[in-house]
Amino acid sequence: QVQLVESGGGLVQAGGSLRLSCAASERTFSSHAMGWFRQAPGKEREFVAAINWSGSITDHADSVKGRFTISRDNNSTVYLQMNDLKPEDTAVYYCAAAGGPFAVIRPSDYGYWGQGTQVIVSS
């Protein structure tokens, strides 16, 4: 069974940094776009960042541009470097694999999801 496993979440003070990782259980995901989403309590899941299959094209939500960076390596692992964290970044962060190679932003375009990792930013 295909699995996406996130790690790297935790508690951090405002202005701090965290690096999330998402490891895919199958190398077939190397040909798929990957994305990060987040969901805060009482809110809908929202797009954070996406990267195409080769890593050459990325897209970031306006709320995280200049602070977060998505990247990937050749081993089906995708990363989210989060700098200058703010209390409003507090959420459960989910990694997802898209159905195709292009970076997309709608949750419905992603067929595989991880279990999520909690990020808490204290003020």
Side-chain angles (χ1 to χ4, degrees), residues 67-102:
R67 301 188 297 123
F68 292 11
T69 303
I70 189 171
S71 62
R72 67 189 300 167
D73 62 19
N74 294 327
N75 294 316
S76 298
T77 300
V78 63
Y79 305 95
L80 185 68
Q81 178 66 44
M82 305 188 296
N83 298 328
D84 190 24
L85 282 159
K86 303 176 180 181
E88 52 263 42
D89 294 319
T90 294
V92 177
Y93 283 72
Y94 297 91
C95 170
F102 305 111

Side-chain angles (χ1 to χ4, degrees), residues 1 32 35 113:
Q1 186 176 356
H32 290 243
W113 293 83

